[in-house]
C-alpha cells in the first residue's frame, strides 16, 4: 500500500502505483482532470504526491508513447501553416507541462532520433535547456559554461534602447546608447524577442593583439577616431522630483525662487538657472550643486514666540539641487499633481557620455574589460586594406578562459559584414568553422581571419598576422563618470566625528580592518597613527579621578566638576571614537577612568 | 678540534654546528678554514634573526589568511579509492587552530614492529584486533524474551567463524561488561538474565540496549581499519582514534604511530609532541592544498598554542580570551561580556599592545613605533660649568 498525498495532505492509499499513476496521467491528457495537476512518485519515501497548487515551476515537453513522438509530421505542417495553436496542442495531449517532481519520474529524450520505448517525453528543442539571456550568446556551445553564465549576466548590463518611450519616461539611472545596432551574428532568440528593435550594442571591428601594453590584463584599447565619430556614446538620464507638501496649520511648501531673507539662502549664482516659477528652464546647463527647483518650507519647530511672527525670514530654504560632481542639461520638466493633490515637479537631467578611460565594455562571451587607452586614429595599427580596428583586444584573455565562441564570432562577424548577411549562430545549430573559413576565402580574404597589420608609427609590417574581424560589443552601465571619487578633508559624521561614507555625500575612502593590518605588518606605526587621526580630539582629563574635565573657555581653564578646581587637569590627544566608546560603556553602567602618566 | 666548536656553542644552534663538523671533516678543512666557516655561519645566522619590533603575529595571521582564501573547500579527491575519509583543507585548518577537543574525522596511522609485518595475513590479523567490534556486529538477532525475562542473542555463525570467536570468551566479556547479569550459552548464541530480584520490562530493555554495545574485541572508538602498503612499509590506517590503547599493543611500533587528535598526543606523549603534531598536521594540510606557507609561521603558531603546557586554541576561550588587555579582548569577540567581566574586577589596561593603541590613536609599539629616544642630561660639575 502506498500513501497518496494531494497538496501535501493525505487522501488515501493505492496498491498498484503504476496503474494509478498512468490512469491519472491519462485522464489529465484527455482533459478529464485539470491539466495543471502534476503527479509524482517519490521513490525514497515511497509516497505518491499530487500537486495542484500555484508557485511550481513547470515546463512543456512533447509526450512520447511507445517510442513515438506525439508531435507527428502532420501536426508540424499544421503548425507551419498556422492551422493549430499551442493551446490546442496541449488540449490534444501532444504537449504537457511537468513540474520538478513529475520530471523525476520522466525519461526525456533530447532529440527524436534517440527515442526508445522507455522514453516518456521528448524535449521540444535542445536549446530549451538555456534561458533567454543565455540563448542570446552566439556559438555558445563552443564556450565554457562559466563564461556563458558571465556572458548572459553581462548582457543585462549592456546599454541600449531599453524602452522605446524612453523620452517620456522618468527612470532612475537610465542610459540610452546612441546608434545601437543589431548584431551581425545573431541567434534565434534575437528574432523571438524582437531584439532588432531594441538592440543594445554595436558591431565593432576588432583586432586581437597587444599594443603598447595599454591592453594588458583585461583592458582594451579603443580607437579615439571611432569614439569621436560616435562609437558607443550614450546619454545618461537622472531624474529629480519634489512636491509642495502641506503641513498642519495651513502652512505649505512654496516652489519659487527663495527670498534672500530665507534661512539657509545659498547665493544668487546658485539660483541663476531658475525661471520665475522657481523651476529650471529646459536645456539649461547645470553644474555641481546648483539648484534646479527652488523651494522654501515653513519653519520646522514653531516656538511660542515665533508663532506670532510668521515672517518670511522664518521660512527655510529646501531647494532641490543636483549632487556633488554631477552635471548635465535639463532635458524635461513635468509639473503635475500627486495622489494627495500636492503639486509635483519632476525634472530630468541629461548627460552625454563619451567613452573614456575606465569605462566598461564587454563582448557577449563574458569577456569584459575596461578601456585602458584611447588611441588617436593615426596611431592605430592598420591592415593592408587600410582598415583600422575600433577596438584592440588582448590575446591573453583567450587561453585561460577558453572562450572559443568569442573567436568564432569574430570570424562569423567578418563573413557577415563582407557578405552583408546576418549569420545565425544559435546554440547547437550554427555554421561550422570550416564553412566560415571557406566563405571568407571566397570573399578574397585569408581563410583564417588573419591579416597583415602595419605599425602606424614606423610604417613597418608587424611580424605576426593579426586576427581581425567584426564582433558585437556592449557598453556596460558601469561608467567612470558615475564612480570617480576622491577627497581630502570634508564632511564628518555628527556622532563619531569620522568622515561620512559614500560618494554622493563626498565621503572618505575607508582604511578598513585589513588595510590596518597591512600597515601594522609593515611596522609603519606613525603612518598608521596619521591615517586614523581623522577624528582626533584633545580632551582634558582629571588626573585625580580619571574622568573628562570641562573646559571653561571664559576663564581659559579646565576644571574637573567632580573634584573641584584644585586637581591637576591635563590635555590628552586621542581619537574621538574612543571618547565615544568610553561614554557608551558608561551608559551600560561600567565606569572607566583614564590614568595619566608622564611619557618621559 | 672540538674546542673550536665548543667556543661557538652559544652562537650557533647544535644542528648547524654538527653540519659544519661533518662537512669540514669530509672536505678536510684546516683549522683556519673551519674558523672562517664558523664565523661566516654566525654572520648569516645573525642576519637571519628577526629584527626587534617585527609584527610577527600579524604577518603569520596574514600568511595563513591570504592562502586560506585560495583553499578549495574540503574537496574529496579519492572517490573510488580505498581510503579513509579525512577532513582536509580550510575546515581542518580551522579545527586545528581552534584546538577542538575532537577532530571531525579522527584518524590514526598505526605502524607495526618489523616482526609483525612479514606477510599481509599477520597484518590483517593485527588490524582486526585494533578495530572495535561490538556484540551487535556478530549477532544476527537480539530479542527480548518476556516469558523467560531474558535477552536472547543469536550469533551470526559466519562472522563468528571468520573472526575466530569462542563462545566462552564472549560470555566472559558480556558478564564483565554488563555487571549483575548471568550469561548462559544457548543453541544459537547466548541468553542474558538479570541477577537482581525484581526484574521489569524497562530494565530488560536497558540490558538489551547495553548488550548491543558490549566491546567484544578491539579498541574502542576505532571504527574502521585499512591495512596499506606505504613505500615498502605496512601501515594500518584507522578511522577513529585511541592512541593510548593502541600504543599498549605489543605489535605496534610506538615511535611511528600517530593520530590526528592533538589532545590525545598531548595527554599521552606530552606537550612537545603535541606542538610537533600541530606543525605536522598544519603542514600536511598546506601541502595537500598545493600552497606554500613558510614553516616558521606554522611553528610560531604551534609555539603560541602550546607555550603554557596545555593546548589552547586561537579562540575567545583560548589564547585570544587570555590577552592581558581588556580592549584587545573586547575587540575580538563578544565585547560586552569582556567589558562586564573586566569591570567586575576593576581591570587596568596598560595599553601596551597593538589594538589598544589603534583604538586610542596612539603609535603602536611595533616597527617604527617601538624605539624611544633617551637623551642623557649633562651633569653640572662641581664648578658649575657645563662639560
Ligand atoms: Zn576629577
Amino acid at each position: 500500500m502506498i500513501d497518496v498525498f494531494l497538496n501535501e495532505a493525505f487522501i488515501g492509499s493505492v496498491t498498484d502505483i503504476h496503474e494509478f499513476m498512468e490512469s491519472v496521467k491519462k485522464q489529465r491528457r484527455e482533459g478529464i482532470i485539470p491539466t495543471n495537476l502534476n503527479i509524482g512518485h517519490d521513490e525514497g519515501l515511497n509516497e505518491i504526491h499530487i500537486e495542484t497548487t500555484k508557485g511550481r515551476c513547470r515546463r512543456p515537453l512533447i509526450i512520447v508513447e511507445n517510442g513515438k513522438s506525439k508531435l507527428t509530421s502532420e501536426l508540424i505542417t499544421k503548425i507551419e501553416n498556422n492551422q493549430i495553436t499551442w493551446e490546442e496542442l496541449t488540449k490534444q495531449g501532444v504537449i504537457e507541462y511537468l513540474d520538478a517532481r513529475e520530471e523525476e519520474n520522466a525519461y526525456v529524450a533530447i532529440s527524436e532520433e534517440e527515442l526508445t520505448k522507455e522514453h516518456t517525453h521528448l524535449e521540444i528543442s535542445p536549446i530549451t535547456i538555456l534561458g533567454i539571456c543565455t540563448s542570446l550568446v552566439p556559438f555558445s556551445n563552443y564556450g565554457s559554461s562559466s563564461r556563458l553564465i558571465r556572458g548572459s549576466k553581462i548582457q543585462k548590463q549592456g546599454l541600449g534602447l531599453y524602452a522605446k518611450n524612453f523620452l517620456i519616461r522618468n527612470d532612475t539611472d537610465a542610459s540610452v546608447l546612441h546608434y545601437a545596432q543589431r548584431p551581425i551574428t545573431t541567434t534565434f532568440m534575437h528574432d523571438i524577442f524582437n531584439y532588432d528593435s531594441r538592440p543594445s550594442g554595436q558591431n565593432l571591428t576588432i583586432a586581437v593583439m597587444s599594443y603598447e601594453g595599454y591592453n594588458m590584463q583585461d583592458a582594451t584599447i579603443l580607437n579615439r577616431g571611432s569614439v569621436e565619430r560616435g562609437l558607443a556614446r550614450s546619454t545618461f538620464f537622472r531624474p529629480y522630483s519634489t512636491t509642495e507638501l502641506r503641513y498642519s496649520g495651513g502652512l505649505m511648501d512654496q516652489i519659487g525662487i527663495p527670498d534672500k531673507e530665507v534661512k539657509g539662502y545659498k547665493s544668487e549664482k546658485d539660483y541663476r538657472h531658475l525661471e520665475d516659477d522657481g523651476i529650471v528652464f529646459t536645456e539649461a546647463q547645470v553644474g555641481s550643486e546648483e539648484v534646479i527647483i527652488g523651494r522654501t518650507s515653513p519653519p520646522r519647530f514653531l516656538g511660542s514666540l515665533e508663532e506670532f511672527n510668521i515672517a518670511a525670514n522664518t521660512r527655510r530654504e529646501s531647494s532641490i539641487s543636483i549632487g556633488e560632481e554631477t552635471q548635465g542639461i535639463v532635458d524635461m520638466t513635468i509639473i503635475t499633481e500627486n495622489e494627495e493633490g500636492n503639486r509635483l515637479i519632476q525634472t530630468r537631467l541629461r548627460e552625454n557620455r563619451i567613452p573614456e578611460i575606465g569605462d566598461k565594455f564587454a563582448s557577449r562571451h563574458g569577456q569584459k574589460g575596461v578601456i585602458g587607452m584611447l588611441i588617436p586614429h593615426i596611431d592605430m595599427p592598420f591592415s593592408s586594406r587600410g582598415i583600422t580596428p575600433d577596438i584592440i583586444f588582448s590575446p591573453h584573455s583567450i587561453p585561460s578562459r577558453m572562450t572559443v565562441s568569442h573567436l568564432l564570432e569574430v570570424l562569423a562577424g567578418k563573413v557577415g559584414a563582407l557578405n552583408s548577411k546576418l549569420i545565425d549562430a544559435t546554440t547547437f545549430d550554427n555554421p561550422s568553422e570550416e564553412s566560415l573559413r571557406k566563405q571568407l576565402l571566397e570573399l578574397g580574404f585569408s581563410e583564417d581571419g588573419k591579416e597583415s597589420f602595419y605599425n602606424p608609427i614606423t610604417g613597418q609590417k608587424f611580424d605576426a598576422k593579426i586576427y581581425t574581424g567584426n564582433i558585437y560589443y556592449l557598453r556596460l552601465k558601469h561608467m567612470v563618470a558615475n564612480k570617480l571619487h576622491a577627497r581630502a578633508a570634508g564632511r564628518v559624521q555628527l556622532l563619531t566625528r569620522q568622515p561620512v561614507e559614500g560618494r554622493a555625500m563626498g565621503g572618505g575612502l575607508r582604511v578598513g580592518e585589513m588595510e590596518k593590518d597591512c600597515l601594522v605588518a609593515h611596522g609603519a606605526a606613525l603612518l598608521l597613527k596619521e591615517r586614523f587621526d581623522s577624528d582626533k580630539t584633545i580632551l582634558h582629563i582629571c588626573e585625580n579621578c580619571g574622568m573628562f574635565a570641562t573646559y571653561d573657555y571664559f576663564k581659559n581653564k579646565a576644571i574637573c566638576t567632580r573634584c573641584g578646581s584644585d586637581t591637576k587637569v591635563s590635555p590628552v590627544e586621542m581619537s574621538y571614537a574612543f571618547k565615544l566608546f568610553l561614554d557608551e560603556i558608561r551608559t551600560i553602567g561600567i565606569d572607566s577612568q583614564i590614568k595619566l602618566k608622564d611619557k618621559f | 678540534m672540538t674546542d673550536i666548536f665548543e667556543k661557538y656553542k652559544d652562537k650557533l644552534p647544535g644542528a648547524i654546528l654538527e653540519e659544519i663538523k661533518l662537512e669540514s671533516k669530509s672536505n678536510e678543512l684546516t683549522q683556519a678554514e673551519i674558523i672562517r666557516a664558523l664565523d661566516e655561519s654566525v654572520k648569516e645566522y645573525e642576519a637571519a634573526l628577526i629584527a626587534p619590533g617585527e609584527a610577527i603575529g600579524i604577518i603569520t595571521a596574514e600568511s595563513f589568511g591570504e592562502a586560506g582564501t585560495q583553499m578549495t573547500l574540503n574537496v574529496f579527491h579519492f572517490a573510488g579509492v580505498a581510503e579513509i575519509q579525512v577532513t582536509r583543507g580550510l575546515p581542518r585548518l580551522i579545527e586545528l587552530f581552534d584546538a577542538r577537543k575532537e577532530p571531525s574525522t579522527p584518524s590514526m596511522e598505526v605502524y607495526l614492529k618489523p616482526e609483525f609485518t612479514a606477510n599481509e595475513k599477520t597484518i590483517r590479523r593485527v588490524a582486526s584486533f585494533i578495530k572495535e567490534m561490538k556484540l551487535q556486529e556478530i549477532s544476527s538477532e537480539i530479542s527480548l524474551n518476556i516469558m523467560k525475562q531474558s535477552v536472547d542473542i543469536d550469533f551470526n555463525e559466519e562472522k563468528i567463524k571468520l573472526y575466530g570467536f569462542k563462545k566462552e570468551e564472549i560470555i566472559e566479556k558480556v558478564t564483565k561488561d554488563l555487571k549483575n547479569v548471568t550469561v548462559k550459552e544457548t543453541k544459537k548464541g547466548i541468553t542474558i538474565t538479570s541477577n537482581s530480584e525484581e526484574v521489569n520490562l524497562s530494565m530488560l530493555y536497558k540490558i538489551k540496549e547495553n548488550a548491543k554495545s558490549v566491546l567484544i574485541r578491539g579498541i574502542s572508538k576505532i571504527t574502521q581499519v585499512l591495512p596499506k602498503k606505504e613505500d615498502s612499509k605496512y601501515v594500518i590506517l584507522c578511522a577513529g582514534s585511541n592512541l593510548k590503547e593502541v600504543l599498549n599493543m605489543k605489535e605496534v611500533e610506538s615511535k611511528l604511530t600517530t593520530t590526528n587528535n592533538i589532545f590525545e598526543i598531548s595527554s599521552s606523549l606530552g606537550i612537545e609532541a603535541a606542538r610537533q603534531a600541530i606543525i605536522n598536521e598544519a603542514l600536511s594540510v598546506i601541502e595537500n592544498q598545493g600552497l606554500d606557507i613558510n614553516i616558521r609561521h606554522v611553528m610560531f603558531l604551534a609555539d603560541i598554542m602550546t607555550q603554557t603546557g596545555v593546548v589552547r586554541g586561537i579562540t575567545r576561550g583560548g589564547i585570544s580570551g587570555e590577552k592581558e588587555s581588556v580592549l584587545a579582548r573586547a575587540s575580538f569577540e563578544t565585547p560586552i561580556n569582556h567589558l562586564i567581566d573586566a569591570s567586575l574586577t576593576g581591570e587596568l589596561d596598560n595599553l601596551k599592545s597593538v589594538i589598544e593603541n589603534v583604538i586610542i590613536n596612539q603609535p603602536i609599539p611595533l616597527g617604527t613605533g617601538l624605539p624611544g629616544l633617551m637623551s642623557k642630561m649633562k651633569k653640572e660639575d662641581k664648578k658649575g660649568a657645563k662639560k
Side-chain angles (χ1 to χ4, degrees), chain A residues 514 516-518 520-521 523-526 528-530 532-533 536 573-575 578 581 585 588 590 595 599-600, chain B residues 53-55 58-59 62 327 336 339-340 343 348 354-355 358-364 366-369 373:
Chain A
M514 294 173 91
K516 175 215 80 181
D517 285 349
C518 196
V520 172
L526 299 175
L528 182 73
K529 181 173 181 290
E530 189 183 298
F532 280 117
D533 71 2
K536 77 172 173 196
E573 187 190 289
M574 64 168 79
S575 63
F578 183 63
F581 168 71
I585 64 168
I588 58 168
I590 297 172
K595 288 198 173 162
K599 208 169 179 183
F600 304 108
Chain B
E54 190 79 72
I58 217 148
I59 291 173
E62 286 188 352
L327 290 175
I336 303 283
L339 291 171
I340 289 171
S343 75
L348 180 73
V354 177
I355 308 161
V358 173
I359 292 171
I360 61 166
N361 193 31
Q362 292 296 315
I364 50 169
L366 272 181
T368 54
L373 190 62

Side-chain angles (χ1 to χ4, degrees), chain A residues 541-549 560-564 567-569:
Chain A
I541 287 160
C542 170
E543 291 199 17
N544 182 38
C545 65
M547 303 280 280
F548 301 129
C560 175
T561 46
R562 206 176 177 194
C563 310
T567 55
K568 195 182 169 198
V569 174

Side-chain angles (χ1 to χ4, degrees), chain A residues 256-258 268-281 284 286 290-295 319-320:
Chain A
I257 301 174
E268 224 163 279
K269 189 174 157 251
D270 287 324
Y271 300 108
R272 75 198 140 103
H273 300 297
L274 303 188
E275 289 186 302
D276 291 342
D277 59 358
I279 301 164
V280 73
F281 63 92
V286 285
E290 285 180 335
V291 174
I292 50 169
I293 301 165
R295 189 177 69 166
S319 299
I320 306 298

Side-chain angles (χ1 to χ4, degrees), chain A residues 25-42:
Chain A
K25 282 180 195 171
K26 194 167 170 256
Q27 288 180 59
R28 179 183 64 197
R29 286 169 191 173
E30 282 167 0
I32 298 165
I33 51 177
T35 48
N36 64 6
L37 175 145
N38 285 107
I39 182 165
H41 176 221
D42 189 324

Side-chain angles (χ1 to χ4, degrees), chain A residues 432-502:
Chain A
S432 67
E433 189 195 338
E434 288 77 48
S435 79
L436 291 171
R437 277 166 176 260
K438 215 177 130 202
Q439 288 181 62
L440 206 56
L441 199 62
E442 282 163 8
L443 289 159
F445 280 78
S446 170
E447 60 146 14
D448 56 6
K450 290 180 187 170
E451 287 178 40
S452 294
F453 266 68
Y454 292 85
N455 186 327
I457 294 156
T458 64
Q460 282 175 318
K461 195 160 95 174
F462 287 126
D463 285 345
K465 296 260 194 273
I466 305 298
Y467 189 61
T468 182
N470 293 79
I471 188 167
Y472 196 63
Y473 246 76
L474 315 164
R475 184 183 187 193
L476 306 187
K477 65 180 178 187
H478 307 285
M479 283 177 278
V480 166
N482 290 336
K483 296 190 172 174
L484 191 72
H485 175 57
R487 91 162 212 184
R491 278 169 68 182
V492 291
Q493 283 166 9
L494 201 63
L495 182 70
T496 60
R497 298 201 191 168
Q498 288 173 352
V500 291
E501 248 175 297

Side-chain angles (χ1 to χ4, degrees), chain A residues 213-220 368 394 396-397 401:
Chain A
Y214 286 111
N215 59 348
M216 63 164 77
Q217 289 290 313
D218 269 342
T220 48
K368 55 178 188 274
S394 169
H396 302 287
S397 310
R401 289 154 201 183

Side-chain angles (χ1 to χ4, degrees), chain B residues 17 25 48 50 126 156 178 219 233 259 280 311 315 336 349:
Chain B
L17 279 177
K25 219 173 257 174
I50 239 163
V126 175
N156 183 332
L178 288 182
I219 291 163
K233 253 185 203 158
T259 168
N280 292 346
V311 180
T315 55
I336 303 283
D349 194 324

